[in-house]
Amino acid sequence: MIEQQVVTGERRVRSVSQINRIVDARNEMLALFSELIDKRPFVTDSAVPMLVQQFCQALVDYTAHAHFQLYRHFAENRERRVPVSTVADQIYPRILTITQTILDFNDKYDCEDHCESLANLDKDLSALGEHLADRIELEDKLIAAFVSGTRPAS
């Protein structure tokens, strides 16, 4: 019984640590998103392409952290807590759709390989911002379910 509690405790610590990394990556991405939005209109600021590149990298890092640290866990059916799995099943299809939107934005604006035109950046950032807000809301629901299921039993 004690061995089971130790294993469960270790999993809980790992789970909280994974969530913290996702939230840290999210916060970094959101800070760059805000900094980029503050540069509008984009055509007059020569620093925008570098900032777009930094934002794209943070966006992809955040997306990868969430996928590999959290969503893969559910996609591989490794979650045993029914309430957590239920929330994951409800939101995962929408998360996948938003992930594709994020990857499409990155493909269009990743300035490391190309940065031909920023003419639609304002419109595309606005649309991306709406998708990110939806994703964060969904993630927060999953994180809340995940964390409430990882509290040590009294």
Side-chain angles (χ1 to χ4, degrees):
M1 180 68 162
I2 292 175
E3 189 174 304
Q4 171 67 26
Q5 289 174 337
V6 169
V7 169
T8 301
E10 288 174 2
R11 272 189 274 142
R12 289 177 180 154
V13 168
R14 259 194 327 267
S15 296
V16 170
S17 177
Q18 290 171 340
I19 289 169
N20 287 338
R21 283 193 297 271
I22 293 166
V23 171
D24 289 346
R26 179 202 294 178
N27 289 341
E28 179 184 345
M29 179 273 301
L30 288 173
L32 287 167
F33 181 83
S34 178
E35 187 177 341
L36 189 55
I37 291 294
D38 287 345
K39 296 287 185 183
R40 289 186 281 186
F42 300 114
V43 293
T44 62
D45 193 327
S46 62
V48 169
M50 179 59 80
L51 188 55
V52 169
Q53 177 59 33
Q54 290 172 336
F55 171 69
C56 283
Q57 184 61 52
L59 184 64
V60 169
D61 288 349
Y62 155 66
T63 304
H65 276 310
H67 176 75
F68 290 113
Q69 299 293 324
L70 190 59
Y71 301 123
R72 186 176 68 182
H73 177 81
F74 298 107
E76 294 173 354
N77 294 316
R78 293 189 295 168
E79 181 56 50
R80 293 179 283 176
R81 295 165 292 173
V82 174
V84 178
S85 292
T86 300
V87 172
D89 289 343
Q90 291 170 352
I91 70 165
Y92 193 62
R94 181 72 180 125
I95 292 288
L96 288 175
T97 301
I98 295 169
T99 297
Q100 188 57 55
T101 301
I102 289 169
L103 295 175
D104 291 345
F105 180 92
N106 183 68
D107 287 347
K108 184 174 183 178
Y109 289 105
D110 182 357
C111 291
E112 188 171 74
D113 296 328
H114 61 280
C115 204
E116 294 119 23
S117 174
L118 299 178
N120 292 321
L121 181 60
D122 195 21
K123 179 181 70 118
D124 291 343
L125 274 174
S126 180
L128 179 66
E130 291 176 24
H131 289 289
L132 289 172
D134 290 346
R135 182 184 174 113
I136 289 167
E137 182 179 329
L138 294 170
E139 279 178 354
D140 285 349
K141 287 178 183 178
L142 183 58
I143 288 170
F146 203 70
V147 171
S148 69
T150 61
R151 289 190 186 119
S154 301

